[in-house]
Amino acid sequence: MKRRSTNHRFAKYGILLGIVALTAGCGNLVFMDGDGFLALREAKNSFKAISVEGKVTDAAGTPLEGISVIVIGRYLKDTEIYYGRNYQEIDTLFTDSNGLYRMAERTVTPAFTDLQLDAFDSSGRYANASVVVQNIQVGSIAPTITLNKKPE
């Protein structure tokens, strides 16, 4: 009996040593603190009111009309993407004659921390571009999305 428990103890040390070796080999591995994990878990299992607005221009700063802006909710701290869980398309917006787009206030589930805004020109004259709005909330203003002309 004593021998079994000694072997079991060595097995525990072996597992611990394996974890230490694995984390040491990963370079700058950063672990989120307990409060961070709790906040992320709560966000993924709750809902949140958000809205966003912004502008799309060309490289010269001229507003672009009719550009599609896909609004994607996500958690930037997540290293893997799971559509519907930590990455989800929320809306598709279109710019007006002033290059402006706006997503009215809405409640989303899960309570995403960030939005990714992907802009593209369906006519094919401009290359796609994206911006990220961190810490999304009601009334968030996105950075201007600048589309560059594709070479002819």
Side-chain angles (χ1 to χ4, degrees):
M1 287 275 198
K2 212 173 200 179
R3 183 170 243 196
R4 257 186 166 170
S5 99
T6 304
N7 287 340
H8 185 62
R9 188 173 356 144
F10 287 136
K12 288 180 184 178
Y13 289 129
I15 291 170
L16 180 61
L17 183 61
I19 291 171
V20 169
L22 179 64
T23 57
C26 290
N28 295 333
L29 190 61
V30 177
F31 293 102
M32 190 182 302
D33 64 355
D35 291 338
F37 276 124
L38 181 61
L40 190 58
R41 185 178 303 122
E42 286 175 4
K44 289 182 180 180
N45 294 316
S46 62
F47 53 89
K48 180 180 190 177
I50 62 172
S51 68
V52 68
E53 59 186 75
K55 186 174 188 174
V56 179
T57 66
D58 65 10
T62 306
L64 297 175
E65 181 178 6
I67 301 297
S68 300
V69 179
I70 299 173
V71 180
I72 300 166
R74 61 182 296 188
Y75 300 97
L76 292 181
K77 292 186 188 270
D78 283 357
T79 56
E80 295 184 34
I81 301 296
Y82 298 102
Y83 187 82
R85 251 182 37 207
N86 65 353
Y87 178 92
Q88 179 178 321
E89 188 174 316
I90 296 172
D91 204 349
T92 300
L93 311 170
F94 298 94
T95 58
D96 64 15
S97 60
N98 296 316
L100 302 174
Y101 60 89
R102 183 174 191 281
M103 182 181 79
E105 182 177 333
R106 67 175 55 193
T107 301
V108 295
T109 301
F112 294 109
T113 57
D114 310 292
L115 288 183
Q116 176 178 319
L117 303 166
D118 296 342
F120 68 93
D121 175 24
S122 60
S123 70
R125 292 179 302 217
Y126 295 92
N128 301 346
S130 294
V131 297
V132 172
V133 179
Q134 294 182 328
N135 302 316
I136 189 70
Q137 56 190 333
V138 173
S140 291
I141 307 292
T144 298
I145 304 172
T146 303
L147 301 183
N148 294 310
K149 275 198 171 184
K150 289 182 179 178
E152 292 181 20

